[in-house]
Amino acid sequence: MTEKWWKERVFYQIYPRSFQDSDGDGIGDIKGIISRLDYLKWLGIGAIWICPLYDSPNEDMGYDIRDYRKIQAEFGTMDDFKDLVCEMHRRDMKLVMDLVVNHTSNQNTWFVESRRSKDSPYHDYYIWKDGSTDTPPNNWGSFFGGSAWTYDSDARQWYLHLFSSSQPDLNWENERMREDLYRMINAWLDDGVDGFRMDVISLIAKNQNYPNANRNNALCPEYYAFQPKMHTYLNEMRKKCFDGRDCMCVGETTFVTTENASSVVGDGSELDMLFQFDLMNIDSDGEKWNIKPLDYRKISEIIFSWQHAIGWNTLFLGNHDQPRAVSRFGSVKDKKLWILSAESIAMMMYCLKGTPFIYQGEEIGMTNYPFSGSVSELRDVESINYLNASENKALAWSSIRKKGRDNARTPFQWNPNPNAGFTTGTPWISVNPNYPEVNVRNEIQDPDSILSFYRKLIILRNQSECLKYGACIQEQGIDSRIIAYRRKGQKTEYAVLCNISEDTISDVEIPEGRVILTNYCHRISRVMQPYECILIEIQNDSDI
Ligand code: ISL
């Protein structure tokens, strides 16, 4: 197993709009991030992925880029960004930027030029098709609802947008466009960035026949995910941007499967790591908003099928597109279960083999927002489109409460002061009312808090070769409510057992050894208590 910095560090994902505001405008910013680096260092974080910081009209909260080489004014300036790079490197932390190159904003000058005239050199930077004004070129649906095509009356053509109509898809068939992107990527790397998280990178190549899908306005990955040309482009990008640099690329490989994953990752491959979403889709019945209950057996099936499928995984419980981890995989019924369950799911995930990505606020057990049911509470285009298109608003709200992306985007809860210490102004999205209890200041002082547990877990991982590089072997024949596995290094062996249910489970074969981390002070022989988790050192170790 090749050793790499990105395999050895625990990553933290920052959603900059909601992390820390420094100037009272209600929006998080770069200076705010800098002011919290010491907290992240204390937590044991070694690398940070920051969601888009680029100039954007914010139709999709920064995932619609207007200018790839300008920092969003609300977040600060290029000088602030350079300070951030410097402050992070000074603390031996790596910085990973978000790279959104499947699409841009419709306000990007490339698109403005593109729609101006068919003769513009930028016209082919996007995907345009002729056709009558009332019928789109095909029946593909957008991720955010409705058709994936919009008719542009200036260009008198249709353009493709797999996401919102303000996010036209770039045409990767166009070599000049690709060269422009590579120049931009290299410029950021020259500025000191250590890598990229590549937004929907699996969708960049489209089937050039643009065939109709089976269903109208549905997603049809068979025509735009993992197309053969995607590999061509990713290889080209690697050669032109990343070869010879010590940087890391993690792809958001939407629609990846355990079968096709190894076509993009592996030593010397197109990407270093990938994000797969099987666990994130576990509570949906086909479509995101059709929610079904959690099935424990599925969790271990998904986790271990991915551990077998590829040599190195990303490990995560949520991100800015997902509900809060503890609300989804744990229990927020009462304080005790909230703490225990947040800890058990953390151990379940972050002792596996791979690179942990902790989403901001997860380490203090931030929960979903208690939306009362007014559209004015929402900021996310996906939820707003869905609500507007739904006939049964009550049903739509029940799904949004569980799965809406704004759940993850409420301000970070630093302390019990007004607005949770996030801003002195009016926050761009409401703060979760539980902030007087759920916040860093409370938890940092409490050795039994979720935050203290996360820190112990991260530090153990940082110090153990076995937890980083050891083999991961699923424990067979154990109750499906317990996620159990071994990590085996050269001199060390650990057993991990996490009850991810509210049930007390008896007759559990618990291996003998030294308990290194657990969330219960009193253990009962052969019993796993509700959400109990245990990390046991079985074989003597020289690396802790
Ligand atoms: O968020 C989702 C479902 O609620 C996903 O389907 C998501 O749209 C998909 O994973 C792609 O996400 C990425 O690209 C989007 C952006 O809105 C997301 O925030 C980003 O993570 C378009 O750029």
Side-chain angles (χ1 to χ4, degrees):
M1 172 77 45
T2 325
E3 297 189 357
K4 297 276 184 198
W5 64 260
W6 44 266
K7 293 181 177 172
E8 298 175 357
R9 290 164 184 250
V10 174
F11 281 62
Y12 190 86
Q13 183 193 348
I14 289 185
Y15 193 71
R17 240 184 141 62
S18 303
F19 192 57
Q20 176 68 71
D21 178 22
S22 74
D23 59 4
D25 66 355
I27 294 169
D29 48 41
I30 295 175
K31 285 201 167 93
I33 297 175
I34 294 175
S35 73
R36 296 300 187 177
L37 289 178
D38 287 335
Y39 161 72
L40 296 175
K41 188 75 194 169
W42 168 85
L43 188 58
I45 299 301
I48 302 177
W49 149 30
I50 308 187
C51 287
L53 287 169
Y54 320 89
D55 176 48
S56 162
N58 276 330
E59 296 282 338
D60 186 23
M61 295 304 162
Y63 284 92
D64 46 328
I65 298 177
R66 186 161 45 202
D67 186 338
Y68 281 112
R69 286 294 287 156
K70 198 170 157 207
I71 295 291
Q72 175 82 335
E74 294 159 332
F75 294 155
T77 62
M78 198 55 133
D79 282 343
D80 294 335
F81 179 78
K82 290 187 173 156
D83 285 349
L84 174 67
V85 173
C86 212
E87 291 295 326
M88 284 185 60
H89 288 168
R90 198 162 68 76
R91 291 170 175 81
D92 185 29
M93 295 168 113
K94 303 277 189 183
L95 171 58
V96 168
M97 293 275 274
D98 219 308
L99 186 72
V100 190
V101 289
N102 175 69
H103 47 265
T104 68
S105 156
N106 59 351
Q107 294 184 23
N108 191 300
T109 50
W110 291 351
F111 190 73
V112 174
E113 271 298 307
S114 176
R115 61 194 287 251
R116 202 176 45 82
S117 146
K118 278 187 183 159
D119 302 325
S120 159
Y122 290 95
H123 191 68
D124 283 343
Y125 273 40
Y126 295 85
I127 300 164
W128 294 99
K129 296 281 173 230
D130 292 325
S132 69
T133 53
D134 50 1
T135 323
N138 68 23
N139 64 357
W140 293 3
S142 129
F143 276 71
F144 295 158
S147 170
W149 298 91
T150 290
Y151 188 76
D152 185 275
S153 45
D154 286 357
R156 301 209 179 143
Q157 281 185 305
W158 295 83
Y159 65 89
L160 179 73
H161 54 86
L162 291 183
F163 294 87
S164 95
S165 56
S166 58
Q167 294 167 293
D169 278 48
L170 285 163
N171 177 17
W172 277 74
E173 295 277 314
N174 182 331
E175 195 184 336
R176 279 193 47 225
M177 188 288 292
R178 298 201 306 274
E179 289 297 333
D180 272 345
L181 287 180
Y182 302 152
R183 244 191 304 283
M184 173 275 288
I185 294 170
N186 276 304
W188 284 110
L189 289 165
D190 293 343
D191 284 338
V193 161
D194 300 295
F196 294 98
R197 172 267 185 187
M198 299 177 166
D199 192 64
V200 287
I201 201 67
S202 48
L203 310 186
I204 57 179
K206 277 80 178 172
N207 181 320
Q208 290 303 298
N209 298 321
Y210 292 91
N212 270 320
N214 295 338
R215 281 187 306 134
N216 275 343
N217 286 350
L219 298 183
C220 45
E222 62 275 26
Y223 299 133
Y224 48 69
F226 276 82
Q227 302 295 299
K229 280 257 183 96
M230 174 203 74
H231 297 292
T232 315
Y233 300 144
L234 288 179
N235 276 313
E236 182 182 79
M237 194 195 301
R238 176 156 281 276
K239 221 166 71 218
K240 300 211 167 185
C241 306
F242 307 122
D243 275 354
R245 301 193 192 246
D246 183 22
C247 60
M248 184 281 304
C249 295
V250 53
E252 187 199 28
T253 44
T254 314
F255 300 117
V256 67
T257 63
T258 48
E259 281 82 45
N260 65 15
S262 47
S263 68
V264 281
V265 287
D267 283 345
S269 195
E270 295 157 20
L271 299 171
D272 297 307
M273 295 190 277
L274 58 78
F275 288 117
Q276 52 83 11
F277 293 97
D278 288 354
L279 196 59
M280 299 296 119
N281 297 332
I282 193 173
D283 46 5
S284 288
D285 207 358
E287 309 231 325
K288 161 170 180 158
W289 301 112
N290 297 340
I291 294 167
K292 64 174 188 197
L294 206 70
D295 175 350
Y296 300 110
R297 266 158 318 197
K298 272 245 155 242
I299 295 185
S300 66
E301 235 173 80
I302 291 172
I303 286 181
F304 294 108
S305 66
W306 276 97
Q307 288 283 315
H308 291 137
I310 48 178
W312 198 264
N313 273 278
T314 54
L315 311 173
F316 63 102
L317 291 163
N319 63 32
H320 65 292
D321 292 333
Q322 301 296 332
R324 288 284 174 183
V326 68
S327 301
R328 184 185 211 176
F329 299 115
S331 170
V332 291
K333 261 192 220 155
D334 62 39
K335 185 171 176 186
K336 194 170 154 214
L337 290 178
W338 165 64
I339 296 175
L340 290 169
S341 66
E343 295 173 345
S344 189
I345 58 175
M347 182 181 287
M348 162 190 92
M349 183 55 70
Y350 301 129
C351 286
L352 289 165
K353 185 170 179 182
T355 300
F357 283 79
I358 294 168
Y359 180 65
Q360 69 179 42
E362 181 193 315
E363 77 278 20
I364 54 169
M366 280 179 65
T367 62
N368 282 351
Y369 185 86
F371 293 105
S372 67
S374 150
V375 68
S376 64
E377 294 170 294
L378 298 174
R379 298 289 176 276
D380 176 27
V381 59
E382 183 188 48
S383 296
I384 294 170
N385 285 357
Y386 168 63
L387 186 66
N388 287 340
S390 302
E391 273 165 31
N392 185 340
K393 302 286 183 216
L395 190 66
W397 267 111
S398 117
S399 295
I400 290 172
R401 282 190 194 99
K402 293 198 184 90
K403 292 290 265 305
R405 305 196 297 182
D406 283 332
N407 282 305
R409 300 178 180 185
T410 62
F412 191 95
Q413 295 164 206
W414 293 104
N415 55 46
N417 299 338
N419 294 321
F422 163 69
T423 181
T424 53
T426 307
W428 71 278
I429 185 172
S430 296
V431 179
N432 193 311
N434 65 14
Y435 75 88
E437 183 177 8
V438 182
N439 64 65
V440 169
R441 188 178 300 163
N442 279 0
E443 294 192 29
I444 214 163
Q445 296 156 1
D446 175 3
D448 296 323
S449 67
I450 298 172
L451 179 59
S452 298
F453 185 91
Y454 260 80
R455 181 162 186 261
K456 283 181 216 148
L457 189 59
I458 295 169
I459 287 172
L460 274 171
R461 218 194 138 96
N462 285 345
Q463 292 173 348
S464 164
E465 282 307 297
C466 175
L467 286 179
K468 284 178 201 148
Y469 289 113
C472 179
I473 301 149
Q474 179 179 11
E475 201 78 66
Q476 298 299 328
I478 207 146
D479 190 291
S480 64
R481 292 161 293 181
I482 301 172
I483 304 292
Y485 53 93
R486 303 264 173 131
R487 296 298 310 273
K488 283 191 184 178
Q490 284 181 339
K491 306 177 209 117
T492 318
E493 180 171 343
Y494 293 120
V496 181
L497 288 98
C498 305
N499 179 359
I500 52 166
S501 79
E502 239 179 270
D503 310 331
T504 300
I505 305 170
S506 47
D507 279 331
V508 186
E509 202 71 59
I510 301 176
E512 292 290 312
R514 182 164 75 96
V515 173
I516 305 209
L517 186 62
T518 177
N519 55 356
Y520 273 80
C521 13
H522 301 293
R523 295 199 28 237
I524 307 169
S525 166
R526 296 186 65 80
V527 167
M528 290 289 286
Q529 302 170 76
Y531 290 110
E532 181 172 359
C533 63
I534 330 171
L535 172 62
I536 304 168
E537 182 191 280
I538 294 182
Q539 196 175 308
N540 200 4
D541 174 23
S542 56
D543 64 15
I544 277 199

